[in-house]
Amino acid sequence: VPPPRCEGGGFPRPLGAREGAHVRCIPSVPIMGPSWRLAVVPLVLSAAAAFVVGGTGRGRVALRMQEESAAKIAERRKMMKQLCTGIKDQYAKGDVVVIKYGGHAMTDDDLKQAFAEDIATLVNECGLRPVVVHGGGPQIGSMLDRMGIESQFVGGLRVTDEPSMEVVQMVLCGMVNKEVASLISRSGAPALGLCGKDAGLIEARRKPKLIGQPDGSVMEADLGLVGEPVRVNAKLLMSLLDQGIVPVIAPVGMDEGTSAATEGRSLNINADTAAGAVAAALEAKRLLLLTDVAGGLDDKKELIRSVRADEVMELALDGVITGGMIPKLETAMNAVQRGVHEALIVDGRERLCALKMLLPERESGTSVTLT
């Protein structure tokens, strides 16, 4: 039985109200009277007309944006197809390329997605086997700032004490590594995130306290828990590559140890250096070092297009290259001296850079070769 209506009309008793309970009813209002209709109907029609006109305008904008986006995607795919054709002419199927991923390309969402798609294209369309070694300097710096830990650098390398090492490992092996591996996997190439401590992938030793300077002098500086690679488990990486998996490596190595106290502890390895060691261990066809500049720059900020391995130290001693560019060029030099065909320092902000820089016709980048 429906609840009784209030005297004089109004809303019925609420369904949850107890029978006989005092409920204040709200009087009904004759809202559908003629005067209400005369006043409101024109307003409704006007609002509806405005919505249709405005909605149509917004629809046109949305449609145009979709068309522009579709055109950009089509153009990108066309260019990727052309690049893949050139790559197939230059490389044998299954050739290994090692790519150090870092800089602004790791912090911009569009560039992150574009990089992941480039890696998937190298696997699925070009027939190559890429290995990614990533950095994460900006992310580490941001987290250290949030935790009130000061960042210090010597010769382009981060000074890493024990509290800093905990943050480095958390950011690189956790946050960054899994994001990069996930993006590549979602773009169509299965990727597996690893760090140098997994299965003894990268064994390292602490860097010496004597650091060479560009002017030829030697400075004593304790970098803390900063390491340099001494061994890379190439067998593990080749096993993954043979299964069609893209290894994504965070550059945190395992201390080979000179005592029980130091054996197995975490060491922070410069990502460029780690990538060079991995490339040499795999005898990679190419090593790409992504950065935030057009390539190796001299003291006048002009691009160095090519350099022989035996010229790198001379450039450093003469002060032609400085700062963070020194470890990059040293890494490239060491890699080609240990069997990598060519090492390239490239602008990671450039679209399709991971594909473009594998071809001989390049508008940017610095090439390091033996001869």
Side-chain angles (χ1 to χ4, degrees):
V1 179
R5 294 179 64 82
C6 301
E7 265 184 39
F11 296 131
R13 172 172 57 82
L15 294 178
R18 180 169 44 85
E19 185 71 32
H22 175 71
V23 178
R24 187 169 70 176
C25 297
I26 304 174
S28 59
V29 180
I31 60 172
M32 295 305 292
S35 60
W36 182 89
R37 285 198 297 270
L38 289 174
V40 173
V41 169
L43 293 175
V44 172
L45 293 176
S46 176
F51 174 80
V52 170
V53 173
T56 303
R58 286 192 295 272
R60 289 197 190 101
V61 171
L63 181 60
R64 186 165 62 251
M65 290 175 65
Q66 289 176 358
E67 289 173 347
E68 290 175 355
S69 178
K72 288 180 180 178
I73 292 173
E75 181 63 27
R76 175 178 168 83
R77 286 177 177 169
K78 180 181 177 181
M79 185 175 294
M80 291 175 82
K81 186 175 181 180
Q82 293 172 346
L83 290 170
C84 285
T85 299
I87 289 171
K88 288 178 181 178
D89 291 339
Q90 297 285 329
Y91 296 80
K93 185 176 181 180
D95 275 348
V96 175
V97 293
V98 176
I99 302 171
K100 182 267 180 169
Y101 175 45
H104 187 67
M106 292 190 69
T107 58
D108 181 277
D109 288 339
D110 289 340
L111 291 177
K112 286 193 288 188
Q113 183 59 48
F115 175 80
E117 292 172 2
D118 288 353
I119 298 300
T121 300
L122 289 175
V123 174
N124 299 321
E125 304 297 333
C126 304
L128 299 183
R129 298 192 290 178
V131 177
V132 176
V133 180
H134 65 79
Q139 294 91 330
I140 293 170
S142 176
M143 185 62 73
L144 288 171
D145 288 343
R146 288 170 59 184
M147 300 183 71
I149 301 174
E150 184 180 356
S151 296
Q152 298 180 28
F153 292 86
V154 175
L157 300 174
R158 183 184 296 277
V159 177
T160 310
D161 56 13
E162 289 189 9
S164 297
M165 188 66 239
E166 292 179 2
V167 174
V168 167
Q169 185 161 306
M170 174 180 67
V171 172
L172 291 183
C173 305
M175 296 166 55
V176 177
N177 185 260
K178 303 315 171 192
E179 181 189 26
V180 176
S182 175
L183 280 172
I184 294 172
S185 296
R186 286 160 49 199
S187 296
L192 179 65
L194 303 162
C195 81
K197 298 188 72 174
D198 296 327
L201 178 57
I202 303 177
E203 290 188 47
R205 66 169 62 101
R206 280 188 65 179
K207 285 188 72 68
K209 293 185 178 181
L210 298 178
I211 309 297
Q213 298 300 296
D215 61 1
S217 63
V218 176
M219 179 180 68
E220 184 173 354
D222 186 358
L223 296 174
L225 298 175
V226 173
E228 52 188 12
V230 292
R231 277 178 295 277
V232 173
N233 189 342
K235 184 177 180 180
L236 170 63
L237 294 176
M238 290 304 298
S239 175
L240 294 173
L241 292 171
D242 289 343
Q243 297 177 66
I245 296 172
V246 179
V248 178
I249 304 170
V252 172
M254 181 175 67
D255 195 336
E256 63 175 357
T258 55
S259 67
T262 60
E263 184 178 4
R265 67 180 172 181
S266 300
L267 292 177
N268 181 20
I269 304 173
N270 177 271
D272 295 313
T273 306
V278 169
L282 295 175
E283 298 180 349
K285 186 78 171 181
R286 289 288 188 282
L287 167 64
L288 301 184
L289 302 174
L290 273 59
T291 184
D292 280 343
V293 292
L297 304 179
D298 61 20
D299 53 343
K300 298 178 181 177
K301 303 300 180 183
E302 294 180 354
L303 179 65
I304 303 171
R305 294 200 171 272
S306 63
V307 61
R308 295 195 316 270
D310 59 6
E311 296 175 328
V312 171
M313 294 310 298
E314 183 180 345
L315 292 174
L317 291 172
D318 291 344
V320 176
I321 56 172
T322 59
M325 193 55 63
I326 294 176
K328 283 180 170 54
L329 281 169
E330 285 183 346
T331 292
M333 173 190 71
N334 291 331
V336 299
Q337 288 176 340
R338 295 171 60 189
V340 176
H341 182 72
E342 182 183 23
L344 294 145
I345 299 172
V346 304
D347 190 346
R349 300 167 300 178
E350 183 179 350
R351 300 280 179 170
L352 301 170
C353 69
L355 280 70
K356 290 179 179 179
M357 295 302 152
L358 293 177
L359 295 174
E361 302 84 13
R362 310 178 188 110
E363 296 180 358
S364 61
T366 297
S367 167
V368 180
T369 56
L370 272 180
T371 57

